[in-house]
Amino acid sequence: PIDPVRHIGNRSSGKMGYAVAEAARDRGAAVWLITAPVSLPEPVGIEITQVQTANEMKEAVARAVAQADALIMAAAVADYTPVRSAKTKTKKSERHLTIRLKPTPDILKWAGKHRKGKRQIVVGFALEDRNLRVNAEKKLTDKNLDMIVANSPEAIAADKSDVQIKTPDSSWIKIENATKAAIAKKVVHLAEKLYQAKLT
């Protein structure tokens, strides 16, 4: 929040995260969906936690991963937050308004570092507007992930999109013009395979 009526946000719709939660539920998983406010119906048969800020999401994720077999982090969390939030509405009295920002916690990197155990799967999403594979693969390594799902800004709020998926030990998998539900099923399937491989 900048003040009680304004906030820093982005154009993400939440469609991908909700689709992943439903795909995991349909595979028989007990699912805990941590979500910011979105204009989507709540999925049936899923535990839901609503959060408003990146810090609240970090706290909820920390509680969830302590008991989860997998974390699939599709949320487009804001990278910066105001250093101070005004307690009253900021009036339009100045020609220019300067808002000092500070980084929000890197939830995905924290999760990759603080796994419940060696078998826990951590999957991240990377939205890249240039050098998609290079930047996504760097994120895969730097954040100690089991899988990265990369897409471009055109995917935001779209019903269909292209994604590319990579694990540390595999080649890139490209999925083109697929629904969020179809992409979610593939992501959950691959995460399940990674988890099963760690059991052997």
Side-chain angles (χ1 to χ4, degrees):
I2 296 170
D3 63 22
V5 297
R6 302 180 181 92
H7 69 277
I8 295 175
N10 58 57
R11 295 190 294 116
S12 178
S13 65
K15 289 178 180 178
M16 190 73 252
Y18 276 55
V20 168
E22 291 173 335
R25 175 203 62 198
D26 293 345
R27 288 291 299 164
V31 181
W32 185 349
L33 174 63
I34 300 166
T35 177
V38 294
S39 299
L40 297 171
E42 290 191 353
V44 176
I46 291 174
E47 183 174 348
I48 298 174
T49 296
Q50 295 278 352
V51 297
Q52 296 284 336
T53 67
N55 279 329
E56 288 178 6
M57 181 164 280
K58 162 80 178 334
E59 292 171 2
V61 168
R63 292 193 302 271
V65 296
Q67 54 189 294
D69 295 315
L71 169 69
I72 302 178
M73 188 81 181
V77 183
D79 293 319
Y80 291 91
T81 187
V83 172
R84 292 184 181 85
S85 296
K87 297 188 182 302
T88 58
K89 180 184 174 185
T90 305
K91 295 292 187 181
K92 192 175 180 181
S93 57
E94 302 287 340
R95 285 193 62 191
H96 300 285
L97 175 66
T98 300
I99 302 172
R100 293 183 63 227
L101 304 175
K102 62 182 179 181
T104 57
D106 190 328
I107 303 171
L108 189 56
K109 188 171 185 177
W110 178 91
K113 185 177 179 181
H114 296 87
R115 295 169 184 261
K116 179 182 71 171
K118 292 182 179 180
R119 293 176 177 173
Q120 190 174 61
I121 300 297
V122 180
V123 178
F125 277 66
L127 183 73
E128 303 291 345
D129 61 358
R130 58 189 181 276
N131 301 323
L132 184 144
R133 287 189 174 183
V134 172
N135 289 331
E137 199 155 358
K138 185 175 187 302
K139 190 172 186 178
L140 174 70
T141 303
D142 290 351
K143 302 190 186 222
N144 190 32
L145 307 180
D146 296 286
M147 185 166 70
I148 193 79
V149 184
N151 55 20
S152 64
E154 288 76 19
I156 296 175
D159 292 321
K160 289 186 175 182
S161 62
D162 301 342
V163 300
Q164 300 191 53
I165 302 173
K166 180 85 170 64
T167 70
D169 302 320
S170 76
S171 301
W172 283 94
I173 299 170
K174 190 171 184 179
I175 303 173
E176 296 182 298
N177 195 33
T179 64
K180 297 290 172 76
I183 294 168
K185 287 178 182 178
K186 183 67 172 178
V187 169
V188 169
H189 173 68
L190 291 172
E192 189 175 0
K193 285 180 66 176
L194 289 169
Y195 181 73
Q196 292 296 336
K198 289 190 177 186
L199 293 178
T200 58

